[in-house]
Amino acid sequence: PMPSAADPRQTRDRPPVHGWVLWLTAALLMLGLVRALAIWVHEPLYAYANSYDQVRYTACFDLYPDRPADVPPTQNSPEAPFERFRFLSTADPMCYWSSELLFQGLAAAGYRLAEAFGGGPLHSVRWLGLLRLAALTALGVALTAAFLRRGRAGAAIVHGVVFAVVLADPGNTLYLNTFYAEWTALLAAYALFALLLLWHDQPRSRGRFIVLVLLAIVLAASKIQHLLLPLA
């Protein structure tokens, strides 16, 4: 049966998406990916310098920069970013809980697995950067496709511009090859706000509500400074 005029869930006429919109949005996503890849693959390593903030999280996995044995594992070192890390047992119970540990836990598990299969004790932070870059790319493609499926060509193009210009800006992508928590906060905020824009005129559903709440929790739990962001 056809939906009644009073039914808020009635289907709406969706304007067709022209071919040039598809090409433009694809080009914007590709531009953003190329910009991010340029930072990720650069030799020498391009990243924010190692500092006390990173150790707050890597210590949760007994993972520390590869430095001479006489250097305390938790010592602050702002001189240059470190690419190689190793597992070390320390007596310092420094571990700050954060939703960022989801990314880092996957990377640390991969490092442990590599060692179990005969890999060396040194591990590149670039694997963590690749994991983060894959998450950003998957979000960008999925959100663009969602806007296009709803016939919202203008929103898809604006999203592509934000992806290429803002999210792929070096000010953000320099966090890829680090153990800072800012990247998880950025992804959570990006997904949360984009989905609010995508669903703002859609029927309310329990599934959408749960997704938004989970993203808000990930954003709030990334750093203590971000606790109030989801409430705002």
Side-chain angles (χ1 to χ4, degrees):
M2 295 295 291
S4 65
D7 187 356
R9 294 171 298 177
Q10 62 184 323
T11 58
R12 300 180 179 180
D13 293 332
R14 297 172 181 172
V17 176
H18 299 287
W20 66 268
V21 174
L22 299 177
W23 284 106
L24 179 56
T25 53
L28 288 169
L29 291 177
M30 185 60 64
L31 173 61
L33 181 59
V34 169
R35 294 187 73 198
L37 278 172
I39 296 294
W40 178 70
V41 303
H42 193 274
E43 291 285 356
L45 181 72
Y46 267 178
Y48 290 111
N50 183 69
S51 76
Y52 191 78
D53 283 343
Q54 291 193 80
V55 178
R56 293 174 178 178
Y57 307 114
T58 63
C60 300
F61 309 102
D62 295 325
L63 190 65
Y64 299 96
D66 179 42
R67 293 186 285 185
D70 59 342
V71 178
T74 59
Q75 180 174 310
N76 182 23
S77 178
E79 296 179 357
F82 292 98
E83 178 174 355
R84 304 292 176 182
F85 289 75
R86 64 168 64 236
F87 292 104
L88 296 171
S89 296
T90 66
D92 195 336
M94 178 193 300
C95 176
Y96 280 41
W97 287 98
S98 166
S99 51
E100 162 63 19
L101 298 182
L102 296 173
F103 275 118
Q104 296 187 19
L106 288 174
Y111 296 157
R112 291 287 192 185
L113 189 63
E115 289 190 14
F117 281 89
L122 300 184
H123 307 282
S124 174
V125 70
R126 292 183 193 269
W127 288 108
L128 174 60
L130 182 61
L131 184 63
R132 289 167 160 174
L133 185 56
L136 174 65
T137 304
L139 270 175
V141 172
L143 288 168
T144 300
F147 281 121
L148 291 174
R149 280 198 304 271
R150 287 165 172 77
R152 298 172 61 180
I157 293 172
V158 171
H159 169 260
V161 172
V162 171
F163 184 92
V165 177
V166 179
L167 296 172
D169 184 86
N172 291 319
T173 54
L174 281 171
Y175 281 111
L176 284 171
N177 294 326
T178 71
F179 287 94
Y180 286 108
E182 277 76 5
W183 186 263
T184 295
L186 175 69
L187 283 188
Y190 163 42
L192 179 60
F193 295 138
L195 287 177
L196 285 172
L197 292 173
L198 180 68
W199 291 339
H200 81 279
D201 60 348
Q202 299 296 305
R204 177 171 179 162
S205 73
R206 180 176 301 175
R208 289 172 182 152
F209 178 76
I210 291 174
V211 169
L212 294 177
V213 168
L214 289 176
L215 286 172
I217 291 174
V218 171
L219 174 57
S222 59
K223 297 187 73 172
I224 192 171
Q225 298 95 314
H226 301 149
L227 283 174
L228 295 180
L229 280 177
L231 296 178

